[in-house]
Amino acid sequence: MKRIAEILIKGYQVFSSTREAKCKYYPSCSNYAATAIRRHGLKGFAMAAWRLLRCNPWSHGGVDYVDYELDSADALASMRNTMVSRSSTQGTLKEGVL
């Protein structure tokens, strides 16, 4: 089932690549659906359906990641900064104990 959905989405993406991009969300609905289904399976189908329902002429669009923590550059940067801060703090604590 997952593989069939991925093939259908890929076919749609190939077809739509010949037309002007009009998606008001980032990533596009088809990329969102492919990522959601790949990562979450059945729940991903529901996430993709909800995204398609939200994509209408009255929505404002915007950035909408499947998993903000995995996909967002801001989240990745803050995670790296947090990891650096923790290792710096641990080194200071070790020096203070010695």
Side-chain angles (χ1 to χ4, degrees):
M1 182 78 166
K2 228 169 140 172
R3 186 72 182 137
I4 293 170
E6 289 176 357
I7 291 169
L8 290 173
I9 291 169
K10 190 64 172 170
Y12 170 77
Q13 288 176 334
V14 168
F15 168 74
S16 67
S17 67
T18 62
R19 311 174 122 218
E20 181 182 346
K22 296 180 182 178
C23 193
K24 51 173 78 177
Y25 281 103
Y26 178 83
S28 68
C29 292
S30 60
N31 284 333
Y32 182 94
T35 303
I37 292 168
R38 188 176 347 100
R39 288 185 185 165
H40 299 288
L42 187 58
K43 180 183 173 188
F45 278 103
M47 293 169 69
W50 178 244
R51 170 71 176 266
L52 289 173
L53 287 173
R54 289 183 290 149
C55 189
N56 59 61
W58 303 280
S59 71
H60 296 290
V63 177
D64 181 26
Y65 295 112
V66 174
D67 295 310
Y68 180 80
E69 306 81 29
L70 298 175
D71 300 330
S72 169
D74 294 335
L76 292 174
S78 68
M79 186 186 318
R80 285 187 193 116
N81 290 339
T82 303
M83 290 170 43
V84 169
S85 299
R86 286 182 185 162
S87 62
S88 299
T89 306
Q90 289 173 353
T92 306
L93 292 174
K94 288 179 184 177
E95 292 171 7
V97 172
L98 296 175

